[in-house]
Amino acid sequence: MKPTLFVLAAGMGSRYGGLKQLDPLGPSGETIMDYSIYDAIKAGFGKIVFVIRKDFEQDFREKVLKKYEGHIPVEVVFQSTDALPEGYTCPADRTKPWGTNHAVLMGKDVIKEPFAVINADDFYGRNAFEVIAKELSREHDRKGDYCMVGFRVGNTMTENGSVARGVCETKDGLLTSVVERTAISYNPEHEIVFTDEEGKEQKLDPATPVSMNLWGFTPDYFDYSEREFKKFLDSNIEKPKAEFFIPLAIDTLINSGEATVKVLDTDSKWFGVTYAADRPSVVEKFAELTKEGVYPSPLFA
């Protein structure tokens, strides 16, 4: 059974401004998503599911989905603040989405096979898709048998400001925790640093694995997620900025012993448009990759 790629495309780029997901960055107007879809097809994924907001469905279908016709089956699901489990009502003043793991839950009715989750506005590189496709394509004989791609933090930096990364701790190749560090940057010596809870600067080895939201799950994850989301809502439904993130659910399942998460290494170099100043370098990188023959132009003829 071929795995499915689940693309989180419901968010707005607050720091960059506008819909990064639809920004043409490739030589023939390709979006970052287009490169992810192309690499996923090459790696052996058999279906794409997008989660988007209903209000830009028409633009999304016209500018994105038409490209993939004849290349791979595609489905669309929608994230909205009022899409809650039975018995829960969204507060009237809630405008902020419920977070990445809530977005994942939107795929429950259409995904019945192992699946990978990615952000729509991150370039992950072909090797990352190859290693996770291989892992998801093997036999899974128990629940909670998950994985993630651990990017080397040195391959995920930008020169234009700080980045947020989930810094991973592992034991015997399995994830033990993900600590969100919201301000990882280069210091004047070009070392990778972050500020810890006590306000002290700490260095990170460039090979330290970090989460770029490239996760691999089997369908039983939906049931676990819904259970944990209800617990989250019980405590946070009246908090207008509280969000239910993937690492929050993962951490709970690891600690309870219900799941293990294999950390897969990749030499892929991440890049994306975190800041508007990143855009020219991303355009240049896609032009270089096209010139080198890594990608055709256009991607989907």
Side-chain angles (χ1 to χ4, degrees):
M1 180 183 295
K2 290 186 175 182
T4 285
L5 185 68
F6 193 13
V7 184
L8 307 185
M12 290 283 286
S14 58
R15 283 181 290 184
Y16 175 47
L19 290 173
K20 289 191 288 184
Q21 294 86 351
L22 303 183
D23 192 7
L25 298 168
S28 298
E30 293 89 353
T31 66
I32 287 181
M33 273 192 301
D34 291 336
Y35 289 96
S36 291
I37 304 309
Y38 185 88
D39 284 340
I41 293 171
K42 289 287 187 183
F45 283 83
K47 182 174 73 174
I48 312 294
V49 177
F50 293 95
V51 56
I52 66 172
R53 294 195 320 276
K54 189 71 176 178
D55 62 291
F56 68 90
E57 179 186 7
Q58 183 175 349
D59 254 5
F60 196 84
R61 289 189 181 278
E62 290 177 357
K63 295 180 180 180
V64 179
L65 298 193
K66 281 185 179 180
K67 302 176 187 179
Y68 311 138
E69 290 179 0
H71 295 281
I72 192 168
V74 173
E75 294 193 53
V76 175
V77 296
F78 303 100
Q79 183 182 22
S80 62
T81 54
D82 59 358
L84 300 180
E86 186 176 350
Y88 294 86
T89 302
C90 182
D93 60 348
R94 176 83 188 195
T95 58
K96 192 175 185 64
W98 291 105
T100 52
N101 212 61
H102 176 253
V104 170
L105 275 171
M106 300 302 99
K108 182 177 181 179
D109 293 334
V110 300
I111 298 177
K112 308 299 180 185
E113 55 281 316
F115 64 100
V117 176
I118 66 166
N119 294 330
D121 50 5
D122 287 321
F123 176 81
Y124 292 98
R126 188 167 302 163
N127 179 254
F129 287 101
E130 290 171 346
V131 298
I132 199 167
K134 181 179 179 180
E135 177 66 17
L136 291 174
S137 297
R138 68 171 176 79
E139 283 292 322
H140 292 77
D141 56 4
R142 62 176 176 83
K143 292 183 178 180
D145 186 4
Y146 308 143
C147 63
M148 63 161 284
V149 175
F151 282 75
R152 302 165 194 173
V153 68
N155 287 340
T156 74
M157 300 295 291
T158 173
E159 300 285 348
N160 296 310
S162 64
V163 296
R165 299 286 181 257
V167 178
C168 301
E169 294 185 9
T170 64
K171 182 179 180 181
D172 300 327
L174 299 178
L175 186 68
T176 57
S177 71
V178 180
V179 180
E180 189 71 13
R181 299 296 182 186
T182 56
I184 301 174
S185 62
Y186 290 117
N187 66 11
E189 291 73 39
H190 213 256
E191 298 167 317
I192 300 171
V193 297
F194 69 92
T195 302
D196 66 17
E197 294 81 358
E198 297 178 358
K200 296 180 180 178
E201 185 176 276
Q202 303 289 348
K203 295 179 184 179
L204 277 177
D205 187 297
T208 302
V210 295
S211 168
M212 298 303 299
N213 229 27
L214 179 44
W215 300 91
F217 300 118
T218 46
D220 56 90
Y221 184 69
F222 292 119
D223 291 332
Y224 286 133
S225 286
E226 189 164 33
R227 182 193 72 191
E228 295 306 315
F229 187 42
K230 290 176 181 177
K231 294 178 183 177
F232 170 87
L233 290 173
D234 289 340
S235 302
N236 297 281
I237 196 167
E238 298 297 336
K239 299 176 183 176
K241 294 186 177 181
E243 294 184 72
F244 184 50
F245 296 116
I246 294 172
L248 182 63
I250 288 295
D251 192 54
T252 299
L253 295 176
I254 289 175
N255 289 332
S256 69
E258 293 172 284
T260 57
V261 179
K262 186 177 181 180
V263 179
L264 309 172
D265 181 46
T266 181
D267 58 9
S268 284
K269 293 185 177 181
W270 169 95
F271 58 82
V273 185
T274 305
Y275 301 93
D278 293 328
R279 191 180 190 280
S281 66
V282 171
V283 171
E284 185 178 340
K285 286 172 183 173
F286 282 135
E288 289 173 358
L289 289 168
T290 303
K291 186 177 180 179
E292 292 168 2
V294 178
Y295 295 106
S297 182
L299 277 178
F300 299 99

